[in-house]
Amino acid sequence: MTIETKRKIQALSIVLFILYLFLLTYFLFFSEGFGRVYTEREYAYNLEPFREIRRFWIYREELGFWAVFTNLAGNVICFVPFGAILPVLNHKARNFFVITFLSFEFSLLVECAQLISKVGSFDVDDLLLNTIGGMAGYILYVICDAIRRKHDSKKTKQDRGR
């Protein structure tokens, strides 16, 4: 891969990551469609692992598909870009454990911000699901990088054969 191509990928990754952060902020703090409206209420939090996951699964028929999907799968999906783009932006983040830690840390920051702002709630299950999303994003990055490297390797061999 040429230096020019690497620079273009880096610039595109920066733009995508900033867009991702804006969209994540909107959906987590401002989207009325997801019930993100500030109200004068008590602090809401769940510190018992798997409590909300279990509740959503047990009452899935009463809650409906959309509510269960947005809570369980949505928390995973919303952190996939974090784990997929960050390794492109920073060489030090090209490690499964680093991405896992950073995903957890960023999710903790988001959950604390939700608790303090009283928009949404602090939920330990969200920490778990968000971290799994970051890990899945990193696995996606590794797969894409392996495909790119294999493609580059074939291209180099073809160029040598000419």
Side-chain angles (χ1 to χ4, degrees):
M1 183 180 330
T2 66
I3 293 173
E4 182 66 26
T5 303
K6 286 182 181 182
R7 285 185 181 147
K8 287 179 182 178
I9 291 171
Q10 189 78 10
L12 179 62
S13 297
I14 290 169
V15 170
L16 288 175
F17 197 70
I18 290 170
L19 179 63
Y20 161 71
L21 292 176
F22 277 121
L23 288 171
L24 187 67
T25 301
Y26 171 74
F27 285 115
L28 293 177
F29 294 98
F30 302 108
S31 174
E32 291 181 20
F34 289 98
R36 305 299 189 209
V37 182
Y38 176 80
T39 57
E40 289 292 327
R41 64 180 180 129
E42 296 294 316
Y43 291 107
Y45 56 89
N46 167 37
L47 300 176
E48 181 184 328
F50 303 106
R51 178 177 165 195
E52 287 300 304
I53 293 172
R54 189 172 41 252
R55 183 177 70 85
F56 270 89
W57 185 252
I58 290 170
Y59 297 107
R60 65 188 177 276
E61 294 196 15
E62 291 87 351
L63 294 169
F65 173 80
W66 184 246
V68 174
F69 180 81
T70 56
N71 188 280
L72 300 181
N75 275 308
V76 173
I77 293 168
C78 75
F79 267 67
V80 168
F82 185 85
I85 299 172
L86 202 56
V88 177
L89 296 176
N90 188 332
H91 293 288
K92 293 178 183 177
R94 292 181 183 173
N95 179 295
F96 182 78
F97 298 107
V98 169
I99 286 295
T100 300
F101 177 74
L102 291 174
S103 297
F104 177 81
E105 198 172 49
F106 184 55
S107 179
L108 182 61
L109 177 73
V110 167
E111 292 297 317
C112 288
Q114 285 182 327
L115 178 68
I116 292 167
S117 67
K118 296 183 184 179
V119 176
S121 62
F122 181 96
D123 189 348
V124 70
D125 292 344
D126 288 353
L127 287 171
L128 174 67
L129 294 169
N130 294 160
T131 303
I132 290 170
M135 293 161 60
Y138 180 74
I139 291 168
L140 183 64
Y141 162 79
V142 168
I143 291 168
C144 290
D145 191 50
I147 292 168
R148 180 193 60 82
R149 287 176 187 271
K150 186 174 182 179
H151 178 270
D152 286 352
S153 172
K154 283 183 181 180
K155 189 176 175 184
T156 303
K157 287 179 184 176
Q158 288 175 351
D159 290 344
R160 286 182 191 159
R162 290 183 183 173

